[in-house]
Amino acid sequence: MTANREKLVLVGNGMAGVGTIEQILKLGGIYDITIFGSESHPNYNRIMLSYVLEGSKTVEDIILNDLNWYKDNNITLHTGTTVTRIDEASHQIFTDNGMAVPYDKVIIATGSNSFILPVPGSDKDGVVGFRDIADCETMLAAAKQYSKAAVIGGGLLGLEAAKGLVNLGMDVTVVHLMEDLMERQLDRNASSMLQAELTRQGVKFAMGKQTVELTGEQRVSGLRFSDDTELAADFVVMAVGIKPNVALAKDSGITVNRGIVVNDYLQTSMENVYSVGECTEHRGLCYGLVAPLFEQGMILAKHLCGVETNPYEGSVVSTKLKISGVDVFSAGEFIDSPEHTVISAKDDWKRTYKKILLKNNIIVGAVLFGDVTESANLQKLVKQGTEMTDAIYAEVMGTGCCGDGGAKKSMSIEAMADEEIVCGCNGVTKKAIVDAVTENGFTTVDEIKACTGATRSCGGCKPVVEQILQFVLGDSFQQGAKQGICSCTTLSRDEIVAEITTKGLRTTKEVMNVLDWKQAEGCSKCRPAVNYYLGMIYPDTHEDEKESRFVNERMGANIQKDGTFTVVPRMYGGVTTPEDLMKIAEVSLKYDVKVVKVTGGQRLDLIGVKKEDVPKVWEELDMPSGYAYAKSLRTVKTCVGSQFCRFGTQDSMGMGALIERKYERLDFPAKFKIAVNGCPRNCAESCTKDIGIVGNDGGWEIFIGGNGGIKPRIADAFCKVKTDEELLEVCSAVMQYYRETGNYLERTSEWVERMGLETIQTAIMDNELNRKELAARIDFALAQVTDPWKKMLEDDSTRTALFEKTTV
Amino acid sequence: MELTKQEVIVGVVADFLPRIGRVVVAGNVELAIFRASDETIYALENRSPHPKGGPLAEGIVSGYYLYDPLYDWKIDLRTGEVQAPDQGQAVTYPVTLVGETVKVSL
């Protein structure tokens, strides 16, 4: 029975309100909870909307609590419903669709709305804010139909919106009133570096422009500025700021300034009515960022559960721009004035900038551009008002002086309040992490992640989680933190490989048995890794274990989220023939392929093949597998080269095809990409490939360790060779050395940094015998490989078991 | 009201490769059937409890657990329960072995 439970009504189904409810549930609060949301979606992570626009996440990806969560916690949820009034006298709330719900306590968490500039024309079609999923969907749709966009506002949101629209193929101009972008978070130096970087990424700027009118008929066609200049635009995003949504509070007679006024326990002027998040005003400040809302929610939750808590005293805010490849951070005070001592380092070559502001030797603010690895640390130092010391200086300015940074770090962890949010994405506090260590005996970041969710979303808090582990575990950290390749073992990759070799272990089962695995049959992390190590060590005798392969490798095609597959045939060096294209077209039509797409590696994706059709598609294509799914050589990208190009000095198409044929099918620790260029113009982009080859008049230049993916890295110059034979020998040696020493799933970009470029050069270029042995070993391994598509077509029983749907 | 359960034969043990899932359509239910290393056989609805759905049959089987192929959720084959930190439950169906014949109650 729930008759005597107090009734708690939450108005606003966003991050602040639901975050508070989550804390109340964790604290065991006994309430009958009802939540009202005016959007039709369940609770989602608004700060990740930029990723939805950018295309790296979907709306479903950013849902924080799905409908089951509400059900599981006995919460009544009304979406698409707006609360219009709180009646103090009758203790009821009223909604726009006629509901009247009694309450004992109310939390208002109505957030904020986009601020729309009150200029003539702002109500025209094609003018939107950037605030919720609906705005995001409007922008995605507009990009398909229109080409020229203007984003008014050069702040965080405006820039993220602009970059998103550029990614969607629009011509985008950011219009900003000030001369500096993000002037409320960045100083002039960082701001100009940011503008330069975004310009490089295709965003245009109109700085120091005040919009006075939006022109056009029904639909917007352009902007007119105060200096009488104009800008054409058929789509306009207003990102000039947010306006706390105070309508409900105002209509209910609650005190409102800019936001809903609350005290240090988040109480409004109406008894039993509280407010958190962007709609509130605390000590004269309204916040528009995520950290304050978690901090407020935590204090309110404790207050409502009768748990003793410190008052809320305001938040130190910090900023991170969510645009890939543009790292910007600021915290606390960032514009220097005469009372500050300024430490700064600007590096125009590396495009980095770092500034720390001190007041009476206390760290009060910081700005980082280009390299934000110290951001978590600096945020903490600012928050705690830490005094600058030689050791901290050495640590954050990276002078190479070792000092006692470790000791300092644990001191700052010690000073960190229990309630402080460590993981902003999932609202995990320091205390939750410390408890996970002390109560469950966890000793690794992975275990903490599995238990609390910290580091699970963006991973930015990982360094702090590590520091907390180190602090709590003290001396035992070293031992405890001895990270195995996964949670099934404490052994490292090198130890496993050594044990396999010295003990002559032959199967994953033997490895896990003999080496005392915690989970007898391993997990989805170690099984594929051990299977790879066995194959690398015994190329001729190891029987590949299909049951230890990820789905894509087992099936020979890439699984899509709906369970269909993508089939990618080989196209050596990116070259195909009209006959092959016809065959691809015919098969695509016959099997109803959803999309045919040219990949970034110069070949064709046949997307959306039904699982049971996959083998038939292979059979009818009758082409080799392109290994688009594999931890092995993907493609060799080429330019046109000396066969046709007037600048080409080497036959890049020929060499690319030769290399792709020579090294295809062999397993590597991770996917492997190569490019071959006929001349130093580098049209095939060698600098972002695992091996990049550039032809010149006298021979070839070889680069290694490049990556264009999630963590971009420009390849290092490795060596120059004169002949094709030398080129192949060096490639062979590099690949085999990587196969033998790389951690499973470690890309060459990470491998080169871990091993050191010089070590690899010494092993391969300074030691001819070693080079030839490496090349011989890869040739031996290559002699064992077969085409998996053909093999599967010949193996009736496995093919049936894997691909066919039996109907009974 | 008593619900009548229907038992269907989905094949013989040898139809199911050890630790590799197989899809069987029984009536209007699509099943993912797994054979663990100790020869016990489990039948789950071939639909991930992840909010975005997707199939289960292509996951990695370890002991009595399945790592789902799309999101790497760890699911108990015996109960369908999703392991922490994720939450949810896959639908499971009882399996009986009569000699080599595999039967599933729907």
Side-chain angles (χ1 to χ4, degrees), chain A residues 532-549:
Chain A
Y532 166 76
Y533 296 136
L534 287 167
M536 179 269 291
I537 295 167
Y538 310 115
D540 50 341
T541 54
H542 173 63
E543 194 165 325
D544 188 55
E545 299 175 9
K546 274 210 159 341
E547 67 275 17
S548 297
R549 291 277 190 173

Side-chain angles (χ1 to χ4, degrees), chain A residues 565-579:
Chain A
F565 286 82
T566 297
V567 171
V568 186
R570 271 270 175 229
M571 219 171 250
Y572 297 100
V575 179
T576 182
T577 62
E579 290 79 11

